[in-house]
Amino acid sequence: MLSSGISSEFILILVARVATFMLVVPIHESAHGLMAKWLGDDTAKREGRITLNPFAHLDPFGMVIMLVVGFGWAKPVPVNISNVKHRRLGYFLISLAGPLSNIIAAFIGAGIYVLTVYAGLAHFDDAAANENAMTVISAVMLFLRYFVTINVGLAVFNLVPLPPLDGFNLLRSFMPASFDRWVWQNYKYIAGAFVVFVLLCSRISEISSKFTYVISIVENWIWFALLKITALFV
């Protein structure tokens, strides 16, 4: 049995967020670098950013935000887009690689959960066990649920079109050079707006609920797809 001293659920959420940072953020950032390398730019590789070492990608503020509210960001991966043959398409694919890696990680976490259930090692309701009677298996299943939710949350959050998030770079891939010039001329104001945005998301339920709604839609789609796929083989 797990101790319910502070709150076993709170501890599991924190562990899931730490694990996400240590395991998934390096994959997210390395995915950007690998995609850039495949498309002709090895800047990220030369600067040591294609690595599973989480501290190579650490943005202190982004990490603290992720541990507190469940989503955050790392240092942007350096990309020299002039080395990429098809620049707009290349920049789009490089930017998309990060959020896509989070969705893949969510699928893997959900897949482990579903396979554990079908193997008879757990039940679907184990993750909803009362925390005062939580067993090791129910803790593992609850951890996997949080792991899926956090990864989906990171993917959705990173698609917001504000720097330094991937959504902004996806937007840039469709915009003219004048847009870039305007952005960098006003970067400090946009960066300030981003900080305000993060604070509002964490404090105002009317805003955070919109994110929660989108996250729940994506997460439900992942579970539905996995259950359908698993049913074909069971």
Side-chain angles (χ1 to χ4, degrees):
M1 308 291 283
L2 295 180
S3 170
S4 58
I6 300 175
S7 163
S8 54
E9 185 174 1
F10 170 80
I11 292 172
L12 282 169
I13 292 173
L14 187 60
V15 169
R17 289 174 180 175
V18 171
T20 300
F21 173 75
M22 300 299 288
L23 300 174
V24 179
V25 167
I27 295 174
H28 177 113
E29 299 305 324
S30 294
H32 289 306
L34 279 172
M35 182 62 74
K37 184 175 180 293
W38 292 337
L39 294 174
D41 176 44
D42 66 348
T43 303
K45 181 182 178 181
R46 287 187 284 103
E47 296 196 12
R49 295 299 304 279
I50 303 179
T51 175
L52 295 182
N53 176 7
F55 300 103
H57 309 288
L58 176 65
D59 179 296
F61 185 49
M63 183 188 71
V64 170
I65 291 295
M66 187 169 74
L67 295 179
V68 172
V69 301
F71 53 79
W73 59 93
K75 288 190 302 185
V77 171
V79 174
N80 186 349
I81 199 64
S82 62
N83 292 330
V84 177
K85 190 171 183 180
H86 303 287
R87 295 186 182 183
R88 287 185 180 274
L89 177 61
Y91 205 55
F92 177 85
L93 293 174
I94 292 167
S95 302
L96 186 62
L100 184 59
S101 72
N102 287 122
I103 296 298
I104 292 171
F107 261 104
I108 292 172
I112 294 171
Y113 187 105
V114 171
L115 289 175
T116 302
V117 171
Y118 276 101
L121 300 175
H123 302 283
F124 277 109
D125 60 353
D126 277 341
N130 187 307
E131 66 172 42
N132 293 321
M134 190 173 288
T135 63
V136 172
I137 190 63
S138 64
V140 170
M141 300 303 277
L142 188 56
F143 168 83
L144 287 170
R145 292 294 295 265
Y146 289 141
F147 184 79
V148 172
T149 301
I150 292 169
N151 271 283
V152 173
L154 281 170
V156 171
F157 177 71
N158 271 281
L159 289 174
V160 173
L162 286 173
L165 301 179
D166 298 323
F168 173 71
N169 293 323
L170 287 170
L171 179 64
R172 286 179 66 193
S173 66
F174 295 102
M175 302 301 286
S178 57
F179 175 76
D180 269 359
R181 288 194 296 270
W182 178 86
V183 167
W184 300 122
Q185 287 170 358
N186 298 277
Y187 189 82
K188 64 179 182 180
Y189 302 110
I190 297 173
F194 172 72
V195 173
V196 171
F197 171 76
V198 171
L199 294 174
L200 289 176
C201 284
S202 62
R203 294 291 182 179
I204 300 179
S205 59
E206 288 80 3
I207 297 177
S208 61
S209 62
K210 301 295 188 298
F211 271 100
T212 302
Y213 177 69
V214 175
I215 290 168
S216 66
I217 290 175
V218 177
E219 192 176 353
N220 288 339
W221 180 81
I222 289 174
W223 290 110
F224 176 79
L226 274 170
L227 290 171
K228 287 294 185 182
I229 292 170
T230 306
L232 296 175
F233 299 95
V234 177

mmCIF file with all atom_site columns, all heavy atoms in Angstrom, residues 4 8 10 23 32 40 44 55 63 74 108 111 118-119 121 123 131 138 145 157 175 188 191 199 201 217:
data_model
loop_
_atom_site.group_PDB
_atom_site.id
_atom_site.type_symbol
_atom_site.label_atom_id
_atom_site.label_alt_id
_atom_site.label_comp_id
_atom_site.label_asym_id
_atom_site.label_entity_id
_atom_site.label_seq_id
_atom_site.pdbx_PDB_ins_code
_atom_site.Cartn_x
_atom_site.Cartn_y
_atom_site.Cartn_z
_atom_site.occupancy
_atom_site.B_iso_or_equiv
_atom_site.pdbx_formal_charge
_atom_site.auth_seq_id
_atom_site.auth_comp_id
_atom_site.auth_asym_id
_atom_site.auth_atom_id
_atom_site.pdbx_PDB_model_num
ATOM 1   N N   . SER A 1 4   ? -0.496  7.646   2.328   1.00 0.00 ? 4   SER A N   1
ATOM 2   C CA  . SER A 1 4   ? -1.332  8.754   1.877   1.00 0.00 ? 4   SER A CA  1
ATOM 3   C C   . SER A 1 4   ? -1.024  10.014  2.672   1.00 0.00 ? 4   SER A C   1
ATOM 4   O O   . SER A 1 4   ? -1.880  10.841  2.893   1.00 0.00 ? 4   SER A O   1
ATOM 5   C CB  . SER A 1 4   ? -2.815  8.378   2.003   1.00 0.00 ? 4   SER A CB  1
ATOM 6   O OG  . SER A 1 4   ? -3.106  8.035   3.343   1.00 0.00 ? 4   SER A OG  1
ATOM 7   N N   . SER A 1 8   ? -1.319  10.734  -2.127  1.00 0.00 ? 8   SER A N   1
ATOM 8   C CA  . SER A 1 8   ? -0.643  9.850   -3.077  1.00 0.00 ? 8   SER A CA  1
ATOM 9   C C   . SER A 1 8   ? -0.935  10.273  -4.506  1.00 0.00 ? 8   SER A C   1
ATOM 10  O O   . SER A 1 8   ? -0.090  10.137  -5.395  1.00 0.00 ? 8   SER A O   1
ATOM 11  C CB  . SER A 1 8   ? -1.075  8.398   -2.853  1.00 0.00 ? 8   SER A CB  1
ATOM 12  O OG  . SER A 1 8   ? -2.475  8.279   -2.885  1.00 0.00 ? 8   SER A OG  1
ATOM 13  N N   . PHE A 1 10  ? -1.385  13.408  -5.550  1.00 0.00 ? 10  PHE A N   1
ATOM 14  C CA  . PHE A 1 10  ? -0.523  14.563  -5.807  1.00 0.00 ? 10  PHE A CA  1
ATOM 15  C C   . PHE A 1 10  ? 0.899   14.106  -6.113  1.00 0.00 ? 10  PHE A C   1
ATOM 16  O O   . PHE A 1 10  ? 1.542   14.614  -7.034  1.00 0.00 ? 10  PHE A O   1
ATOM 17  C CB  . PHE A 1 10  ? -0.518  15.504  -4.600  1.00 0.00 ? 10  PHE A CB  1
ATOM 18  C CG  . PHE A 1 10  ? 0.510   16.599  -4.681  1.00 0.00 ? 10  PHE A CG  1
ATOM 19  C CD1 . PHE A 1 10  ? 0.281   17.729  -5.443  1.00 0.00 ? 10  PHE A CD1 1
ATOM 20  C CD2 . PHE A 1 10  ? 1.731   16.482  -4.014  1.00 0.00 ? 10  PHE A CD2 1
ATOM 21  C CE1 . PHE A 1 10  ? 1.233   18.739  -5.535  1.00 0.00 ? 10  PHE A CE1 1
ATOM 22  C CE2 . PHE A 1 10  ? 2.691   17.478  -4.095  1.00 0.00 ? 10  PHE A CE2 1
ATOM 23  C CZ  . PHE A 1 10  ? 2.425   18.613  -4.864  1.00 0.00 ? 10  PHE A CZ  1
ATOM 24  N N   . LEU A 1 23  ? 12.073  12.233  -19.550 1.00 0.00 ? 23  LEU A N   1
ATOM 25  C CA  . LEU A 1 23  ? 12.008  11.257  -20.627 1.00 0.00 ? 23  LEU A CA  1
ATOM 26  C C   . LEU A 1 23  ? 11.493  11.825  -21.942 1.00 0.00 ? 23  LEU A C   1
ATOM 27  O O   . LEU A 1 23  ? 12.001  11.482  -23.013 1.00 0.00 ? 23  LEU A O   1
ATOM 28  C CB  . LEU A 1 23  ? 11.096  10.088  -20.213 1.00 0.00 ? 23  LEU A CB  1
ATOM 29  C CG  . LEU A 1 23  ? 11.525  9.300   -18.973 1.00 0.00 ? 23  LEU A CG  1
ATOM 30  C CD1 . LEU A 1 23  ? 10.447  8.285   -18.606 1.00 0.00 ? 23  LEU A CD1 1
ATOM 31  C CD2 . LEU A 1 23  ? 12.852  8.606   -19.207 1.00 0.00 ? 23  LEU A CD2 1
ATOM 32  N N   . HIS A 1 32  ? 12.946  17.607  -33.057 1.00 0.00 ? 32  HIS A N   1
ATOM 33  C CA  . HIS A 1 32  ? 13.189  18.794  -33.888 1.00 0.00 ? 32  HIS A CA  1
ATOM 34  C C   . HIS A 1 32  ? 14.554  18.697  -34.564 1.00 0.00 ? 32  HIS A C   1
ATOM 35  O O   . HIS A 1 32  ? 14.694  18.930  -35.778 1.00 0.00 ? 32  HIS A O   1
ATOM 36  C CB  . HIS A 1 32  ? 13.165  20.062  -33.022 1.00 0.00 ? 32  HIS A CB  1
ATOM 37  C CG  . HIS A 1 32  ? 11.817  20.453  -32.516 1.00 0.00 ? 32  HIS A CG  1
ATOM 38  N ND1 . HIS A 1 32  ? 10.733  20.623  -33.341 1.00 0.00 ? 32  HIS A ND1 1
ATOM 39  C CD2 . HIS A 1 32  ? 11.385  20.738  -31.257 1.00 0.00 ? 32  HIS A CD2 1
ATOM 40  C CE1 . HIS A 1 32  ? 9.683   20.990  -32.619 1.00 0.00 ? 32  HIS A CE1 1
ATOM 41  N NE2 . HIS A 1 32  ? 10.053  21.058  -31.349 1.00 0.00 ? 32  HIS A NE2 1
ATOM 42  N N   . GLY A 1 40  ? 18.776  18.333  -43.905 1.00 0.00 ? 40  GLY A N   1
ATOM 43  C CA  . GLY A 1 40  ? 20.006  18.957  -44.374 1.00 0.00 ? 40  GLY A CA  1
ATOM 44  C C   . GLY A 1 40  ? 20.709  19.899  -43.431 1.00 0.00 ? 40  GLY A C   1
ATOM 45  O O   . GLY A 1 40  ? 21.795  20.397  -43.751 1.00 0.00 ? 40  GLY A O   1
ATOM 46  N N   . ALA A 1 44  ? 21.719  21.528  -34.853 1.00 0.00 ? 44  ALA A N   1
ATOM 47  C CA  . ALA A 1 44  ? 21.340  20.970  -33.553 1.00 0.00 ? 44  ALA A CA  1
ATOM 48  C C   . ALA A 1 44  ? 22.296  19.862  -33.130 1.00 0.00 ? 44  ALA A C   1
ATOM 49  O O   . ALA A 1 44  ? 22.674  19.764  -31.963 1.00 0.00 ? 44  ALA A O   1
ATOM 50  C CB  . ALA A 1 44  ? 19.910  20.443  -33.619 1.00 0.00 ? 44  ALA A CB  1
ATOM 51  N N   . PHE A 1 55  ? 19.093  17.862  -19.364 1.00 0.00 ? 55  PHE A N   1
ATOM 52  C CA  . PHE A 1 55  ? 19.681  19.135  -18.969 1.00 0.00 ? 55  PHE A CA  1
ATOM 53  C C   . PHE A 1 55  ? 20.272  19.893  -20.160 1.00 0.00 ? 55  PHE A C   1
ATOM 54  O O   . PHE A 1 55  ? 20.543  21.087  -20.061 1.00 0.00 ? 55  PHE A O   1
ATOM 55  C CB  . PHE A 1 55  ? 20.723  18.899  -17.883 1.00 0.00 ? 55  PHE A CB  1
ATOM 56  C CG  . PHE A 1 55  ? 20.142  18.265  -16.646 1.00 0.00 ? 55  PHE A CG  1
ATOM 57  C CD1 . PHE A 1 55  ? 20.335  16.924  -16.384 1.00 0.00 ? 55  PHE A CD1 1
ATOM 58  C CD2 . PHE A 1 55  ? 19.346  19.003  -15.780 1.00 0.00 ? 55  PHE A CD2 1
ATOM 59  C CE1 . PHE A 1 55  ? 19.774  16.325  -15.265 1.00 0.00 ? 55  PHE A CE1 1
ATOM 60  C CE2 . PHE A 1 55  ? 18.781  18.420  -14.655 1.00 0.00 ? 55  PHE A CE2 1
ATOM 61  C CZ  . PHE A 1 55  ? 18.991  17.078  -14.402 1.00 0.00 ? 55  PHE A CZ  1
ATOM 62  N N   . MET A 1 63  ? 10.645  24.690  -17.205 1.00 0.00 ? 63  MET A N   1
ATOM 63  C CA  . MET A 1 63  ? 10.567  23.471  -16.413 1.00 0.00 ? 63  MET A CA  1
ATOM 64  C C   . MET A 1 63  ? 9.722   23.684  -15.157 1.00 0.00 ? 63  MET A C   1
ATOM 65  O O   . MET A 1 63  ? 8.879   22.847  -14.810 1.00 0.00 ? 63  MET A O   1
ATOM 66  C CB  . MET A 1 63  ? 11.961  23.003  -16.008 1.00 0.00 ? 63  MET A CB  1
ATOM 67  C CG  . MET A 1 63  ? 11.947  21.686  -15.238 1.00 0.00 ? 63  MET A CG  1
ATOM 68  S SD  . MET A 1 63  ? 13.549  21.240  -14.548 1.00 0.00 ? 63  MET A SD  1
ATOM 69  C CE  . MET A 1 63  ? 13.705  22.470  -13.232 1.00 0.00 ? 63  MET A CE  1
ATOM 70  N N   . ALA A 1 74  ? 11.022  23.913  -23.377 1.00 0.00 ? 74  ALA A N   1
ATOM 71  C CA  . ALA A 1 74  ? 12.466  23.789  -23.202 1.00 0.00 ? 74  ALA A CA  1
ATOM 72  C C   . ALA A 1 74  ? 13.145  24.857  -24.061 1.00 0.00 ? 74  ALA A C   1
ATOM 73  O O   . ALA A 1 74  ? 12.483  25.672  -24.710 1.00 0.00 ? 74  ALA A O   1
ATOM 74  C CB  . ALA A 1 74  ? 12.926  22.399  -23.609 1.00 0.00 ? 74  ALA A CB  1
ATOM 75  N N   . ILE A 1 108 ? 2.081   5.500   -26.826 1.00 0.00 ? 108 ILE A N   1
ATOM 76  C CA  . ILE A 1 108 ? 2.858   4.435   -26.193 1.00 0.00 ? 108 ILE A CA  1
ATOM 77  C C   . ILE A 1 108 ? 2.397   4.212   -24.758 1.00 0.00 ? 108 ILE A C   1
ATOM 78  O O   . ILE A 1 108 ? 2.188   3.074   -24.320 1.00 0.00 ? 108 ILE A O   1
ATOM 79  C CB  . ILE A 1 108 ? 4.365   4.763   -26.243 1.00 0.00 ? 108 ILE A CB  1
ATOM 80  C CG1 . ILE A 1 108 ? 4.866   4.715   -27.696 1.00 0.00 ? 108 ILE A CG1 1
ATOM 81  C CG2 . ILE A 1 108 ? 5.166   3.773   -25.373 1.00 0.00 ? 108 ILE A CG2 1
ATOM 82  C CD1 . ILE A 1 108 ? 6.282   5.215   -27.879 1.00 0.00 ? 108 ILE A CD1 1
ATOM 83  N N   . GLY A 1 111 ? -0.913  2.654   -24.837 1.00 0.00 ? 111 GLY A N   1
ATOM 84  C CA  . GLY A 1 111 ? -0.774  1.282   -25.314 1.00 0.00 ? 111 GLY A CA  1
ATOM 85  C C   . GLY A 1 111 ? -0.320  0.342   -24.203 1.00 0.00 ? 111 GLY A C   1
ATOM 86  O O   . GLY A 1 111 ? -0.828  -0.782  -24.072 1.00 0.00 ? 111 GLY A O   1
ATOM 87  N N   . TYR A 1 118 ? -5.402  -5.998  -20.910 1.00 0.00 ? 118 TYR A N   1
ATOM 88  C CA  . TYR A 1 118 ? -5.737  -7.191  -21.685 1.00 0.00 ? 118 TYR A CA  1
ATOM 89  C C   . TYR A 1 118 ? -4.893  -8.400  -21.284 1.00 0.00 ? 118 TYR A C   1
ATOM 90  O O   . TYR A 1 118 ? -5.296  -9.545  -21.496 1.00 0.00 ? 118 TYR A O   1
ATOM 91  C CB  . TYR A 1 118 ? -5.581  -6.909  -23.187 1.00 0.00 ? 118 TYR A CB  1
ATOM 92  C CG  . TYR A 1 118 ? -6.811  -6.264  -23.785 1.00 0.00 ? 118 TYR A CG  1
ATOM 93  C CD1 . TYR A 1 118 ? -6.855  -4.897  -24.020 1.00 0.00 ? 118 TYR A CD1 1
ATOM 94  C CD2 . TYR A 1 118 ? -7.929  -7.031  -24.111 1.00 0.00 ? 118 TYR A CD2 1
ATOM 95  C CE1 . TYR A 1 118 ? -7.980  -4.300  -24.559 1.00 0.00 ? 118 TYR A CE1 1
ATOM 96  C CE2 . TYR A 1 118 ? -9.061  -6.438  -24.649 1.00 0.00 ? 118 TYR A CE2 1
ATOM 97  C CZ  . TYR A 1 118 ? -9.081  -5.072  -24.869 1.00 0.00 ? 118 TYR A CZ  1
ATOM 98  O OH  . TYR A 1 118 ? -10.210 -4.507  -25.398 1.00 0.00 ? 118 TYR A OH  1
ATOM 99  N N   . ALA A 1 119 ? -3.721  -8.145  -20.687 1.00 0.00 ? 119 ALA A N   1
ATOM 100 C CA  . ALA A 1 119 ? -2.890  -9.243  -20.189 1.00 0.00 ? 119 ALA A CA  1
ATOM 101 C C   . ALA A 1 119 ? -3.399  -9.776  -18.855 1.00 0.00 ? 119 ALA A C   1
ATOM 102 O O   . ALA A 1 119 ? -2.864  -10.763 -18.332 1.00 0.00 ? 119 ALA A O   1
ATOM 103 C CB  . ALA A 1 119 ? -1.444  -8.774  -20.051 1.00 0.00 ? 119 ALA A CB  1
ATOM 104 N N   . LEU A 1 121 ? -3.305  -8.190  -15.984 1.00 0.00 ? 121 LEU A N   1
ATOM 105 C CA  . LEU A 1 121 ? -2.516  -7.719  -14.844 1.00 0.00 ? 121 LEU A CA  1
ATOM 106 C C   . LEU A 1 121 ? -3.201  -6.586  -14.090 1.00 0.00 ? 121 LEU A C   1
ATOM 107 O O   . LEU A 1 121 ? -2.805  -6.250  -12.977 1.00 0.00 ? 121 LEU A O   1
ATOM 108 C CB  . LEU A 1 121 ? -1.128  -7.263  -15.319 1.00 0.00 ? 121 LEU A CB  1
ATOM 109 C CG  . LEU A 1 121 ? -0.279  -8.341  -16.007 1.00 0.00 ? 121 LEU A CG  1
ATOM 110 C CD1 . LEU A 1 121 ? 1.004   -7.734  -16.542 1.00 0.00 ? 121 LEU A CD1 1
ATOM 111 C CD2 . LEU A 1 121 ? 0.010   -9.478  -15.039 1.00 0.00 ? 121 LEU A CD2 1
ATOM 112 N N   . HIS A 1 123 ? -7.100  -3.852  -14.178 1.00 0.00 ? 123 HIS A N   1
ATOM 113 C CA  . HIS A 1 123 ? -8.427  -3.572  -14.709 1.00 0.00 ? 123 HIS A CA  1
ATOM 114 C C   . HIS A 1 123 ? -8.496  -2.099  -15.098 1.00 0.00 ? 123 HIS A C   1
ATOM 115 O O   . HIS A 1 123 ? -7.723  -1.270  -14.612 1.00 0.00 ? 123 HIS A O   1
ATOM 116 C CB  . HIS A 1 123 ? -9.508  -3.887  -13.674 1.00 0.00 ? 123 HIS A CB  1
ATOM 117 C CG  . HIS A 1 123 ? -9.470  -5.313  -13.208 1.00 0.00 ? 123 HIS A CG  1
ATOM 118 N ND1 . HIS A 1 123 ? -9.960  -6.351  -13.949 1.00 0.00 ? 123 HIS A ND1 1
ATOM 119 C CD2 . HIS A 1 123 ? -8.979  -5.862  -12.062 1.00 0.00 ? 123 HIS A CD2 1
ATOM 120 C CE1 . HIS A 1 123 ? -9.790  -7.490  -13.306 1.00 0.00 ? 123 HIS A CE1 1
ATOM 121 N NE2 . HIS A 1 123 ? -9.192  -7.218  -12.155 1.00 0.00 ? 123 HIS A NE2 1
ATOM 122 N N   . GLU A 1 131 ? -7.440  6.605   -3.322  1.00 0.00 ? 131 GLU A N   1
ATOM 123 C CA  . GLU A 1 131 ? -6.026  6.776   -2.997  1.00 0.00 ? 131 GLU A CA  1
ATOM 124 C C   . GLU A 1 131 ? -5.692  6.248   -1.601  1.00 0.00 ? 131 GLU A C   1
ATOM 125 O O   . GLU A 1 131 ? -4.556  5.902   -1.312  1.00 0.00 ? 131 GLU A O   1
ATOM 126 C CB  . GLU A 1 131 ? -5.603  8.238   -3.110  1.00 0.00 ? 131 GLU A CB  1
ATOM 127 C CG  . GLU A 1 131 ? -6.235  9.168   -2.109  1.00 0.00 ? 131 GLU A CG  1
ATOM 128 C CD  . GLU A 1 131 ? -5.617  10.557  -2.173  1.00 0.00 ? 131 GLU A CD  1
ATOM 129 O OE1 . GLU A 1 131 ? -5.386  11.039  -3.281  1.00 0.00 ? 131 GLU A OE1 1
ATOM 130 O OE2 . GLU A 1 131 ? -5.366  11.128  -1.104  1.00 0.00 ? 131 GLU A OE2 1
ATOM 131 N N   . SER A 1 138 ? -2.385  -0.121  -9.065  1.00 0.00 ? 138 SER A N   1
ATOM 132 C CA  . SER A 1 138 ? -3.274  1.015   -9.322  1.00 0.00 ? 138 SER A CA  1
ATOM 133 C C   . SER A 1 138 ? -2.468  2.303   -9.452  1.00 0.00 ? 138 SER A C   1
ATOM 134 O O   . SER A 1 138 ? -2.829  3.191   -10.233 1.00 0.00 ? 138 SER A O   1
ATOM 135 C CB  . SER A 1 138 ? -4.328  1.149   -8.222  1.00 0.00 ? 138 SER A CB  1
ATOM 136 O OG  . SER A 1 138 ? -3.736  1.450   -6.972  1.00 0.00 ? 138 SER A OG  1
ATOM 137 N N   . ARG A 1 145 ? -1.998  6.978   -16.865 1.00 0.00 ? 145 ARG A N   1
ATOM 138 C CA  . ARG A 1 145 ? -3.050  7.907   -17.287 1.00 0.00 ? 145 ARG A CA  1
ATOM 139 C C   . ARG A 1 145 ? -2.548  9.345   -17.265 1.00 0.00 ? 145 ARG A C   1
ATOM 140 O O   . ARG A 1 145 ? -2.795  10.126  -18.194 1.00 0.00 ? 145 ARG A O   1
ATOM 141 C CB  . ARG A 1 145 ? -4.284  7.759   -16.376 1.00 0.00 ? 145 ARG A CB  1
ATOM 142 C CG  . ARG A 1 145 ? -5.023  6.433   -16.523 1.00 0.00 ? 145 ARG A CG  1
ATOM 143 C CD  . ARG A 1 145 ? -5.674  6.274   -17.896 1.00 0.00 ? 145 ARG A CD  1
ATOM 144 N NE  . ARG A 1 145 ? -6.715  7.236   -18.123 1.00 0.00 ? 145 ARG A NE  1
ATOM 145 C CZ  . ARG A 1 145 ? -8.004  7.014   -17.901 1.00 0.00 ? 145 ARG A CZ  1
ATOM 146 N NH1 . ARG A 1 145 ? -8.407  5.838   -17.440 1.00 0.00 ? 145 ARG A NH1 1
ATOM 147 N NH2 . ARG A 1 145 ? -8.901  7.938   -18.156 1.00 0.00 ? 145 ARG A NH2 1
ATOM 148 N N   . PHE A 1 157 ? -0.387  22.480  -25.930 1.00 0.00 ? 157 PHE A N   1
ATOM 149 C CA  . PHE A 1 157 ? 0.191   23.746  -25.486 1.00 0.00 ? 157 PHE A CA  1
ATOM 150 C C   . PHE A 1 157 ? 1.254   24.250  -26.460 1.00 0.00 ? 157 PHE A C   1
ATOM 151 O O   . PHE A 1 157 ? 1.300   25.442  -26.783 1.00 0.00 ? 157 PHE A O   1
ATOM 152 C CB  . PHE A 1 157 ? 0.794   23.578  -24.094 1.00 0.00 ? 157 PHE A CB  1
ATOM 153 C CG  . PHE A 1 157 ? 1.493   24.812  -23.575 1.00 0.00 ? 157 PHE A CG  1
ATOM 154 C CD1 . PHE A 1 157 ? 0.769   25.931  -23.210 1.00 0.00 ? 157 PHE A CD1 1
ATOM 155 C CD2 . PHE A 1 157 ? 2.874   24.852  -23.460 1.00 0.00 ? 157 PHE A CD2 1
ATOM 156 C CE1 . PHE A 1 157 ? 1.402   27.076  -22.737 1.00 0.00 ? 157 PHE A CE1 1
ATOM 157 C CE2 . PHE A 1 157 ? 3.513   25.979  -22.983 1.00 0.00 ? 157 PHE A CE2 1
ATOM 158 C CZ  . PHE A 1 157 ? 2.775   27.096  -22.624 1.00 0.00 ? 157 PHE A CZ  1
ATOM 159 N N   . MET A 1 175 ? 4.248   32.338  -43.391 1.00 0.00 ? 175 MET A N   1
ATOM 160 C CA  . MET A 1 175 ? 4.222   33.794  -43.437 1.00 0.00 ? 175 MET A CA  1
ATOM 161 C C   . MET A 1 175 ? 5.391   34.361  -44.247 1.00 0.00 ? 175 MET A C   1
ATOM 162 O O   . MET A 1 175 ? 6.450   33.734  -44.346 1.00 0.00 ? 175 MET A O   1
ATOM 163 C CB  . MET A 1 175 ? 4.259   34.361  -42.012 1.00 0.00 ? 175 MET A CB  1
ATOM 164 C CG  . MET A 1 175 ? 3.115   33.868  -41.134 1.00 0.00 ? 175 MET A CG  1
ATOM 165 S SD  . MET A 1 175 ? 1.483   34.279  -41.773 1.00 0.00 ? 175 MET A SD  1
ATOM 166 C CE  . MET A 1 175 ? 1.440   36.040  -41.417 1.00 0.00 ? 175 MET A CE  1
ATOM 167 N N   . LYS A 1 188 ? 10.112  41.604  -27.549 1.00 0.00 ? 188 LYS A N   1
ATOM 168 C CA  . LYS A 1 188 ? 9.979   41.721  -26.086 1.00 0.00 ? 188 LYS A CA  1
ATOM 169 C C   . LYS A 1 188 ? 8.525   41.879  -25.664 1.00 0.00 ? 188 LYS A C   1
ATOM 170 O O   . LYS A 1 188 ? 8.120   41.394  -24.604 1.00 0.00 ? 188 LYS A O   1
ATOM 171 C CB  . LYS A 1 188 ? 10.818  42.876  -25.556 1.00 0.00 ? 188 LYS A CB  1
ATOM 172 C CG  . LYS A 1 188 ? 10.411  44.252  -26.027 1.00 0.00 ? 188 LYS A CG  1
ATOM 173 C CD  . LYS A 1 188 ? 11.315  45.307  -25.396 1.00 0.00 ? 188 LYS A CD  1
ATOM 174 C CE  . LYS A 1 188 ? 10.912  46.710  -25.817 1.00 0.00 ? 188 LYS A CE  1
ATOM 175 N NZ  . LYS A 1 188 ? 11.786  47.748  -25.197 1.00 0.00 ? 188 LYS A NZ  1
ATOM 176 N N   . ALA A 1 191 ? 6.976   38.375  -26.170 1.00 0.00 ? 191 ALA A N   1
ATOM 177 C CA  . ALA A 1 191 ? 7.433   37.506  -25.085 1.00 0.00 ? 191 ALA A CA  1
ATOM 178 C C   . ALA A 1 191 ? 6.681   37.822  -23.795 1.00 0.00 ? 191 ALA A C   1
ATOM 179 O O   . ALA A 1 191 ? 6.299   36.923  -23.037 1.00 0.00 ? 191 ALA A O   1
ATOM 180 C CB  . ALA A 1 191 ? 8.936   37.659  -24.880 1.00 0.00 ? 191 ALA A CB  1
ATOM 181 N N   . LEU A 1 199 ? 0.394   32.679  -17.414 1.00 0.00 ? 199 LEU A N   1
ATOM 182 C CA  . LEU A 1 199 ? -0.165  32.966  -16.092 1.00 0.00 ? 199 LEU A CA  1
ATOM 183 C C   . LEU A 1 199 ? -1.687  32.914  -16.106 1.00 0.00 ? 199 LEU A C   1
ATOM 184 O O   . LEU A 1 199 ? -2.313  32.404  -15.174 1.00 0.00 ? 199 LEU A O   1
ATOM 185 C CB  . LEU A 1 199 ? 0.326   34.325  -15.590 1.00 0.00 ? 199 LEU A CB  1
ATOM 186 C CG  . LEU A 1 199 ? 1.836   34.420  -15.300 1.00 0.00 ? 199 LEU A CG  1
ATOM 187 C CD1 . LEU A 1 199 ? 2.214   35.847  -14.955 1.00 0.00 ? 199 LEU A CD1 1
ATOM 188 C CD2 . LEU A 1 199 ? 2.225   33.468  -14.167 1.00 0.00 ? 199 LEU A CD2 1
ATOM 189 N N   . CYS A 1 201 ? -3.510  31.165  -18.171 1.00 0.00 ? 201 CYS A N   1
ATOM 190 C CA  . CYS A 1 201 ? -3.910  29.765  -18.343 1.00 0.00 ? 201 CYS A CA  1
ATOM 191 C C   . CYS A 1 201 ? -3.905  29.031  -17.015 1.00 0.00 ? 201 CYS A C   1
ATOM 192 O O   . CYS A 1 201 ? -4.745  28.159  -16.772 1.00 0.00 ? 201 CYS A O   1
ATOM 193 C CB  . CYS A 1 201 ? -2.970  29.052  -19.320 1.00 0.00 ? 201 CYS A CB  1
ATOM 194 S SG  . CYS A 1 201 ? -3.260  29.480  -21.041 1.00 0.00 ? 201 CYS A SG  1
ATOM 195 N N   . ILE A 1 217 ? -10.422 15.962  -25.828 1.00 0.00 ? 217 ILE A N   1
ATOM 196 C CA  . ILE A 1 217 ? -10.827 15.452  -27.149 1.00 0.00 ? 217 ILE A CA  1
ATOM 197 C C   . ILE A 1 217 ? -9.707  14.611  -27.752 1.00 0.00 ? 217 ILE A C   1
ATOM 198 O O   . ILE A 1 217 ? -9.932  13.490  -28.229 1.00 0.00 ? 217 ILE A O   1
ATOM 199 C CB  . ILE A 1 217 ? -11.196 16.616  -28.088 1.00 0.00 ? 217 ILE A CB  1
ATOM 200 C CG1 . ILE A 1 217 ? -12.503 17.268  -27.649 1.00 0.00 ? 217 ILE A CG1 1
ATOM 201 C CG2 . ILE A 1 217 ? -11.325 16.112  -29.535 1.00 0.00 ? 217 ILE A CG2 1
ATOM 202 C CD1 . ILE A 1 217 ? -12.870 18.487  -28.460 1.00 0.00 ? 217 ILE A CD1 1
#
